[in-house]
Amino acid sequence: MAALFSRIKGMLFLLFLPCFCSAQPAPPLLHFSNFLDPSNMVYLRWDHDEQELMTFELQVHTTGWVAFGFSPYGGLPGSDIVIGGVFPNGSIYFSVS
């Protein structure tokens, strides 16, 4: 039993090692989520803090770009749009309009 526990402990250490070695901060804990399309290709996670600062995470299966909009009335006029993507060379772009 002790050998099994030691082996599991070693596997857990290896699983968490990339988290400790990377300079990346821990991802925020986002309490709300939903798929935005019937084929489950667009996944949105979000939450807000005490000051009502919103945090969003958008996961999209794409090979090009994605746009995400916020609108006070549900239409394009007056909306805020975030556009992001990956160039063929692998560099990432992000724009807010």
Side-chain angles (χ1 to χ4, degrees), residues 62-82:
T62 181
T63 56
W65 61 275
V66 65
F68 187 72
F70 302 90
S71 171
Y73 307 108
L76 190 57
S79 65
D80 296 315
I81 300 173
V82 178

Side-chain angles (χ1 to χ4, degrees), residues 2 18 25 35 38-39 45 48 50 56-57 70 76 80 82 84-85:
F35 283 100
S39 60
R45 295 177 56 217
H48 62 88
E50 296 80 23
F56 293 95
E57 176 184 291
F70 302 90
L76 190 57
D80 296 315
V82 178

Side-chain angles (χ1 to χ4, degrees), residues 24-85:
Q24 302 292 328
L29 181 60
L30 303 176
H31 292 98
F32 307 100
S33 64
N34 196 24
F35 283 100
L36 301 181
D37 65 320
S39 60
N40 294 344
M41 300 289 280
V42 181
Y43 185 61
L44 178 65
R45 295 177 56 217
W46 73 95
D47 206 346
H48 62 88
D49 62 14
E50 296 80 23
Q51 294 82 28
E52 297 195 17
L53 177 68
M54 299 290 298
T55 301
F56 293 95
E57 176 184 291
L58 187 63
Q59 298 176 10
V60 181
H61 293 276
T62 181
T63 56
W65 61 275
V66 65
F68 187 72
F70 302 90
S71 171
Y73 307 108
L76 190 57
S79 65
D80 296 315
I81 300 173
V82 178
I83 301 170

Side-chain angles (χ1 to χ4, degrees), residues 2-15:
L4 178 62
F5 177 73
S6 175
R7 193 170 175 179
I8 291 172
K9 191 168 80 172
M11 286 190 296
L12 290 174
F13 176 75
L14 289 176
L15 290 174

